[in-house]
Amino acid sequence: MAAVPRARLLNLMKVQCEIFSTTYNPDGIRMGNKILRQRLKGPSLAKYYPPRGPTVNTLERAFKHLHLETINEEEEDRLEHLAGVKSRGKGAPKKKKGPPKPGKK
């Protein structure tokens, strides 16, 4: 019995892929089709967790057109804490400005 030539088998595989709407991949390269065919998980994960309640920032953005003054106590406490830390010299260092110096790694 004679072996079937490779070119003929590849042609058969190409026609088979067209008929069954699959990807023609004669070299067997990993292309991620298995993952891409799966259902998306995002919508079901988003549905699982309850929606977040409104925060001061979201309310401020929603009613920005009314020019209302809002007080965000958490943000004020954070800024006050940072000011105290910086006054003691314990704050974060300043970010570097300008291009890097040549010759130093």
Side-chain angles (χ1 to χ4, degrees), residues 41-53:
K41 296 177 183 170
S44 58
L45 281 176
K47 217 183 324 177
Y48 178 78
Y49 292 103
R52 290 185 176 184

Side-chain angles (χ1 to χ4, degrees), residues 11-24:
N11 195 14
L12 175 68
M13 192 166 34
K14 193 172 197 175
V15 172
Q16 181 181 349
C17 289
E18 288 175 10
I19 293 171
F20 294 111
S21 299
T22 57
T23 307
Y24 177 64

